[in-house]
Amino acid sequence: QTDTRELVARLAKLKEFCCLGAQDALPPTHVEVLRLLNNLSNLHHFCAQNLSGPSRTNAVAEYYECKRQLMDAYEAIHGASVIQRDVSYLVSLQRLLGSSLGECPSQLKKSWQQQLMRASLLQFGQTGLPVAVSEEKPSSRSRAATAER
């Protein structure tokens, strides 16, 4: 079994190629770059929940940095001239803002709150996501298990 910190170390080396302006950089909006950033951020989240002290602080900071880079890539995909966003993007923003980790840098949190509010107003006519959009949908497996009970 591999230690999560070892996986973080391996993937962090690839992250250097995902930054805008990096030498031999990968396209920041490529689906594999998005997957890498999401996986790396999830690993940092796991580390932050299971570590303490400076290791936890570093994992939280890296988690938010990966998520910032990921959300910036989604913004680039959507384009600057359009406010409308995919629902999955909006749900991701809401999850980030409600993260159990807390400690989100205030400027980043404010920016994400504004993006979510603007897009929600445009698409749903309210400042936040409707409950029907934001609530977790049960998987087909859990629906089947519930039906069996």
Side-chain angles (χ1 to χ4, degrees):
Q1 186 172 352
T2 305
D3 186 336
T4 305
R5 291 170 288 190
E6 186 179 317
L7 293 173
V8 167
R10 287 182 192 170
L11 290 177
K13 293 174 186 174
L14 295 173
K15 185 182 174 221
E16 296 171 15
F17 296 105
C18 301
C19 298
L20 282 175
Q23 184 176 358
D24 300 325
L26 301 167
T29 58
H30 190 280
V31 68
E32 293 299 327
V33 170
L34 299 177
R35 187 172 290 137
L36 169 71
L37 291 171
N38 193 48
N39 287 337
L40 187 55
S41 68
N42 290 338
L43 288 169
H44 283 299
H45 188 275
F46 181 83
C47 288
Q49 289 182 320
N50 294 289
L51 298 173
S52 59
S55 296
R56 181 187 189 285
T57 303
N58 289 339
V60 169
E62 286 298 321
Y63 166 76
Y64 283 115
E65 176 55 26
C66 286
K67 286 297 186 182
R68 182 204 57 77
Q69 197 172 343
L70 182 64
M71 290 295 131
D72 287 352
Y74 279 127
E75 281 293 313
I77 290 169
H78 288 115
S81 61
V82 178
I83 298 173
Q84 189 169 349
R85 299 290 184 252
D86 293 333
V87 171
S88 60
Y89 170 80
L90 298 175
V91 170
S92 293
L93 271 179
Q94 183 167 301
R95 284 184 187 150
L96 273 170
L97 292 168
S99 173
S100 60
L101 287 181
E103 306 167 39
C104 181
S106 60
Q107 284 296 94
L108 192 55
K109 185 174 184 175
K110 185 177 179 180
S111 171
W112 286 342
Q113 286 170 332
Q114 289 173 346
Q115 290 172 21
L116 181 60
M117 186 180 75
R118 278 195 317 264
S120 294
L121 274 172
L122 174 71
Q123 290 172 235
F124 307 110
Q126 59 191 47
T127 57
L129 296 181
V131 174
V133 172
S134 63
E135 68 184 17
E136 295 291 325
K137 306 286 189 262
S139 69
S140 59
R141 214 179 276 161
S142 64
R143 281 194 300 262
T146 303
E148 290 175 4
R149 289 183 196 160

